[in-house]
Amino acid sequence: MKQWTIDSSDTGVERRNLNHFPESHIREVVGNYTINEEEFRCLKGKWNSSKITLLCGSDGGLKNGVGTCGYVVYLSEVSSPLIKGYSAETQTCLSASSTRQELLGQLCIEYWIQKLKSILKEPVAPLTIHLVTDSQASIIMREKAKHVLGIKDTMTTDMDVIMEIRSVNTNNGFETVFFKVKSHIQREEADNDFFWKLNEEADTLATNAR
């Protein structure tokens, strides 16, 4: 699924940088992905000229011990996805949970923004991330992690993912605004059509990763 369509004027430097995560643990988390060249160039044009809000969706699930997650990143409601991807892992612990996969999908988005900033440098204005998820548990855990955590907190299930999200997010320096949506509903039942689309796309990617 790793795709990038380039024209003859492209030197290939950005292509190589975007498609390369030197850290093996990050490569495992982000999994398979597609980068839209046209949307990336649009992002470049806005990066140093205006405030950017990225519209993101993440989802995750667990079935027969295999956890999967999917994620999408958009520049606007009328664009194609800038980045979309999915990954999978085997959960062997007794406390296996789908919430972990939801969080891993969100961590993928954090890693991609970290990658974009490493290539495009600091934007002219702070980034804002609108993150759509159907997991209330993941929102609660992330909001809690913004505050001082006790030793008991750091020993809870999935806290390793939470702490990594917090670390990367702190370095990224952007604001994340969460939007909770209902899962597995029809389009006409949704309060926000585009948020429904984000969640459905992330869900489909996670499901197809099995």
Side-chain angles (χ1 to χ4, degrees):
M1 187 180 174
K2 296 178 183 177
Q3 299 174 2
W4 173 285
T5 304
I6 57 173
D7 61 31
S8 58
S9 64
D10 197 316
T11 63
V13 174
E14 286 173 344
R15 175 179 180 268
R16 289 194 297 272
N17 287 342
L18 271 174
N19 276 308
H20 179 59
F21 289 91
E23 305 89 345
S24 60
H25 71 282
I26 295 181
R27 291 199 301 270
E28 291 176 2
V29 173
V30 299
N32 294 287
Y33 54 83
T34 297
I35 306 166
N36 186 301
E37 178 195 13
E38 184 176 345
E39 291 302 313
F40 177 70
R41 289 183 175 177
C42 182
L43 175 67
K44 282 178 60 180
K46 295 180 177 180
W47 196 260
N48 293 315
S49 62
S50 60
K51 182 173 175 59
I52 298 172
T53 298
L54 294 177
L55 309 172
C56 307
S58 66
D59 200 13
L62 179 68
K63 185 175 183 180
N64 299 325
V66 177
T68 60
C69 68
Y71 56 92
V72 290
V73 179
Y74 279 77
L75 285 178
S76 73
E77 295 187 12
V78 295
S79 65
S80 298
L82 168 66
I83 301 166
K84 60 181 180 179
Y86 60 84
S87 62
E89 68 171 10
T90 300
Q91 290 196 32
T92 57
C93 61
L94 295 177
S95 57
S97 72
S98 59
T99 300
R100 176 181 178 82
Q101 302 307 314
E102 299 273 0
L103 292 168
L104 284 171
Q106 295 172 25
L107 179 57
C108 289
I109 294 170
E110 296 280 347
Y111 281 147
W112 273 112
I113 294 171
Q114 183 181 61
K115 168 64 72 174
L116 292 171
K117 291 184 70 175
S118 73
I119 294 171
L120 302 176
K121 309 309 177 186
E122 286 294 325
V124 68
L127 291 171
T128 298
I129 307 302
H130 285 181
L131 178 59
V132 175
T133 176
D134 60 20
S135 171
Q136 185 65 39
S138 70
I139 296 175
I140 292 173
M141 292 179 72
R142 289 194 60 177
E143 290 291 350
K144 185 176 182 180
K146 292 179 180 179
H147 308 289
V148 177
L149 298 173
I151 295 177
K152 186 179 292 186
D153 294 321
T154 62
M155 297 176 66
T156 58
T157 304
D158 307 324
M159 190 52 66
D160 59 325
V161 184
I162 284 290
M163 296 304 289
E164 178 67 0
I165 289 176
R166 188 170 83 163
S167 174
V168 179
N169 184 270
T170 299
N171 292 329
N172 280 340
F174 58 78
E175 178 187 9
T176 301
V177 182
F178 295 99
F179 293 89
K180 168 68 171 67
V181 295
K182 296 178 182 178
S183 61
H184 308 298
I185 63 173
Q186 298 300 312
R187 191 166 201 153
E188 57 270 18
E189 301 176 79
D191 296 327
N192 184 302
D193 187 72
F194 185 72
F195 286 178
W196 176 89
K197 176 184 174 181
L198 284 176
N199 187 245
E200 283 295 303
E201 289 185 358
D203 177 73
T204 299
L205 288 162
T207 301
N208 292 342
R210 292 174 185 163

